[in-house]
Amino acid sequence: MIIFCRSIQKDVITTPLISQLVRSGTSIGANYCEADGASSKKDFINKIYIAKKETKETKYWLSLIANAVPESKVKARELWKEAQELNLIFAAIIRNTKVGH
């Protein structure tokens, strides 16, 4: 994600989009790491849920960048698909982790 963001030429349109994408894209991993060290199942689910929400936001910013910078469309699509796969994985983790069990 960081390498992709660095490859995009910055201008008045792309700069805020890149900034948002860096925040949401890196937040996915940060929240997953926090989930790994969670103090309870409830805390674990909460952190995974936040990571899942960040995947949705990341997909949104990737879509905007793909439209604003047509030459980035192929790589943005690849990253969008990766974010979607993570979203599905996190959804399955949430579904399969029962609080109190």
Side-chain angles (χ1 to χ4, degrees), residues 57-75:
E57 184 177 341
T58 297
K59 290 176 1 184
Y60 172 75
W61 295 120
L62 284 165
S63 295
L64 290 183
I65 288 176
N67 287 318
V69 186
E71 60 271 18
S72 74
K73 201 170 273 192
V74 171
K75 185 61 179 175

Side-chain angles (χ1 to χ4, degrees), residues 4-23 61-72:
F4 172 70
C5 289
R6 282 197 168 146
S7 74
I8 299 167
Q9 186 168 351
K10 288 161 189 63
D11 61 30
V12 69
I13 301 296
T14 60
T15 298
L17 299 177
I18 292 165
S19 180
Q20 292 287 7
L21 180 57
V22 168
R23 280 194 214 28
W61 295 120
L62 284 165
S63 295
L64 290 183
I65 288 176
N67 287 318
V69 186
E71 60 271 18
S72 74

Side-chain angles (χ1 to χ4, degrees), residues 25-80:
T26 57
S27 182
I28 297 166
N31 280 289
Y32 181 76
C33 286
E34 284 191 34
D36 191 46
S39 58
S40 66
K41 280 190 182 183
K42 184 177 178 182
D43 186 35
F44 174 80
I45 290 171
N46 184 51
K47 298 294 191 255
I48 293 292
Y49 183 75
I50 293 168
K52 181 180 178 296
K53 284 177 27 179
E54 293 295 337
T55 63
K56 286 183 166 187
E57 184 177 341
T58 297
K59 290 176 1 184
Y60 172 75
W61 295 120
L62 284 165
S63 295
L64 290 183
I65 288 176
N67 287 318
V69 186
E71 60 271 18
S72 74
K73 201 170 273 192
V74 171
K75 185 61 179 175
R77 245 185 226 145
E78 289 174 19
L79 292 169
W80 189 97

